[in-house]
Amino acid sequence: MNGRQAIILRDVRLAFRAGGGSFQAVAFFSVVCVLFALAAGPDLRLMSKIAAPVVWTAALLATLISLDQIYRADREDGSLDVIVATSDELALTAAAKAAAHWLSTGVPLIVATPLLGLLMNLEAGAYAPLMLSLVIGTPALSLIGAFAAALTVSLPRANLLISLIVSPLYMPILIFGAGAASAGAAGDPQYAANLKLLSAATLFAAITAPLASAAALRSNLD
Amino acid sequence: MKPSLYDLANPLRFDRIARAALPWLVAATIVLMTLGLYFALFNSPADYQQGQSVRIMYVHVPAAWMALFCYTVIAGASAVGFIWKHPLADVAAKEAAPIGASFTLLALITGSLWGKPMWGAWWAWDARLTSVLILFFLYIGYMSVWRAFPDKTRAARLAAILAIVGFVNIPIIKFSVEWWNSLHQPASVFRGGGPTIDGSMLTPLFLMGGAYMFFFAATLTQSMRSELAARRLARLQEIDARSSYVLVEQ
Amino acid sequence: MNETFAATPAHRYRFRASGVSISRGGVQILSDISLALDPGETAILRGPNGAGKTTLLRAFAGLLRKDGGQALVQTMDGKSVDTADGTIYCGPLNAVKFSLTVDENLRFWAALYNTPPSMIAEARAAFGLDAHGGRNAGALSTGYCRRLGLSRLLLARKAIWLADEPTASLDAAAVNAFEKIVERHRGDGGIAIIATHDALSIASARTIELKTGIAA
């Protein structure tokens, strides 16, 4: 097993153990969906219409609150020094960290989505587009989020700053992702267009975010 | 020692040039603004559809140009600062941000005021408006990074990385009205085949654009001067408080 | 980064640092530091708090940018690499994950350092952790946690050790064990630079002191 695989395995393991982030992410995701459902009231037709966008927003928010931990814990116990010192290509290591975040946060959210779709009276035809848009879009959320986490890792508390940095970068992902999910249910031709834009955004993030994260990490080493 | 953000020599020369240029920049701003407003308010035609409210265009459109232009300046200065570590580049980027954010806000507000009579709503989530709003948030995020880090050398590098990453939004804004059929009108000035609007409207547009440009230059120059002075002071205070160490073998 | 710079009689490396200067936040912390160490030599780095011992070691480890000068690890036949690749840095933090077991922590580091799993048992034994392999690292006392952190010195298989306050929370027996491990490393031809406030007895170690210089 090489170093990067070991990092992914370790991060996923830590996230799924007690006190790790996976459970929190799914719990928060569910809470947000339930709150929206309550706020929308008993009108089932309204809930169906907003179900896909609400799930997308909830997934984005759940991802957002989990970002701080990507690098902070490692920095505080000295593991980040070891990871950076043993990394031959820091950008690839940053990509591995983002991949680990997606596996421990994005994937559980995707798995939980069908259940929450039921709660929100999601249309039968909307499940597949919603899941597909999440599968394509959540890696972008992890990649961009990991970049914001790397940028702010040397600050004592960075939750607000991470939200400010990441919001404009997340907005296009949300627009395309939720747009694809809604259009897919209706059989709208916008569905394919939104998916293509979403894929392009994820690919762009996959190339840019690790490079930017590596530069940010290097600037943040004490 | 390589020039750092705190280098004394270079910024002093900048200060001399800035002080000499500033009165001219301010004068140009005032002249162009006066001319521009005159043409905009009195010497250009009203629209056959919109009536007099079309004149908001002369405030709104150049503001939108400046919103994009300022971010481009920030991204360019950030790249220069990141690659060549020139101290003035970082300061220029930092000081340009509040000006650019203000132009963006001006564009958003005047756009909303103009759009209400036209579209019947204060806001619409079409591609152009949404991407300019995203640009505004990018400015806020960028300025927050500068404020968050007490070590300004580090803040400069991190903010530069963010500015460069966010630059992808600029071409998206520019072309969004062409790529998506949207509520906002397509480009009529900066486009491939040349402007499509009448000269009598172009004149005030360019005059106001020029006025905003000189305003930006004047404000940026003055902001950079104060920022550099503040840093010189901070550095002198730091040197007073610390001493450096050398190695001695026993 | 996957190359081994292990200290064995067959491979001997020299440590050469010259003119190293570091400044942070516009203030000069270290000026013109030069240090030359040959195989088998140990340097004890002393100095008051805030003198820059950690800064210097981190710069050698490649975790901090130097403003000037260079630091190299040289083979006996003249090939040289940057100290970032040829050294192992053990800082005041242990890099230990509390939710993982001792063995899981060791295996993770072994994967990062490209060390064969057989060395894990050796490193564990050298620092007296054999009885604790399956325990969660969070259940260890501070001293045992430190021992676990120090085991990276052996796992990384590098000739040059940079240790920052290694004996900070260790009891007398553990300090003794650490001294013996450093002695063995010296015997194999390795080099160690140890920053410490404690009195370590390592045979023929040079003491180097960081003293106040003139502000730049």
Side-chain angles (χ1 to χ4, degrees), chain C residues 136-174:
Chain C
N136 259 4
L140 293 175
S141 70
T142 319
Y144 270 91
C145 220
R146 190 75 185 115
R147 296 186 193 204
L148 180 55
L150 287 173
S151 64
R152 282 189 293 119
L153 288 171
L154 287 176
L155 274 180
R157 298 177 303 154
K158 304 275 188 192
I160 319 243
W161 290 4
L162 305 167
D164 200 344
E165 307 285 356
T167 49
S169 31
L170 297 183
D171 58 27

Side-chain angles (χ1 to χ4, degrees), chain B:
Chain B
M1 194 168 87
K2 285 189 290 232
S4 75
L5 195 61
Y6 304 84
D7 198 284
L8 296 172
N10 220 340
L12 272 177
R13 193 170 67 196
F14 169 80
D15 199 68
R16 271 200 299 275
I17 303 174
R19 228 171 356 159
L22 208 51
W24 297 100
L25 294 172
V26 173
T29 307
I30 296 175
V31 166
L32 285 172
M33 185 75 80
T34 315
L35 277 176
L37 283 173
Y38 169 73
F39 274 90
L41 294 172
F42 303 114
N43 207 23
S44 73
D47 188 73
Y48 82 95
Q49 231 178 0
Q50 302 174 43
Q52 297 297 333
S53 67
V54 76
R55 300 189 192 279
I56 301 182
M57 164 175 76
Y58 300 113
V59 177
H60 167 78
V61 170
W65 292 345
M66 289 309 292
L68 293 180
F69 176 72
C70 288
Y71 195 89
T72 310
V73 166
I74 292 173
S78 294
V80 168
F82 191 81
I83 300 171
W84 288 287
K85 305 206 182 12
H86 195 288
L88 280 178
D90 291 324
V91 175
K94 172 177 194 275
E95 297 306 318
I99 312 173
S102 307
F103 277 122
T104 312
L105 196 59
L106 181 65
L108 288 169
I109 294 176
T110 53
S112 186
L113 289 171
W114 191 17
K116 176 75 168 101
M118 286 268 294
W119 309 325
W122 288 108
W123 184 262
W125 292 97
D126 85 320
R128 173 55 69 88
L129 276 79
T130 307
S131 41
V132 174
L133 185 66
I134 292 178
L135 179 64
F136 182 68
F137 282 111
L138 275 174
Y139 275 113
I140 301 294
Y142 177 80
M143 294 191 289
S144 308
V145 168
W146 268 103
R147 296 175 100 98
F149 292 90
D151 177 357
K152 292 307 169 191
T153 319
R154 175 179 289 177
R157 282 190 75 81
L158 294 173
I161 297 171
L162 180 62
I164 295 168
V165 165
F167 185 69
V168 69
N169 195 34
I170 303 301
I172 293 178
I173 296 177
K174 169 75 184 119
F175 294 109
S176 61
V177 286
E178 271 128 66
W179 293 343
W180 292 281
N181 289 333
S182 65
L183 205 53
H184 193 284
Q185 69 177 75
S188 28
V189 179
F190 291 113
R191 54 188 292 281
T196 53
I197 66 177
D198 186 63
S200 62
M201 289 184 141
L202 272 182
T203 311
L205 268 182
F206 284 134
L207 281 173
M208 290 299 281
Y212 284 4
M213 201 58 103
F214 278 102
F215 175 78
F216 171 66
T219 316
L220 181 65
T221 309
Q222 183 53 27
S223 293
M224 282 176 72
R225 285 183 66 212
S226 1
E227 177 66 20
L228 288 166
R231 281 178 200 278
R232 268 202 296 279
L233 181 61
R235 169 135 205 243
L236 289 171
Q237 288 171 332
E238 264 270 29
I239 289 180
D240 218 27
R242 265 177 168 269
S243 38
S244 76
Y245 289 85
V246 296
L247 207 93
V248 169
E249 178 138 8
Q250 281 186 345

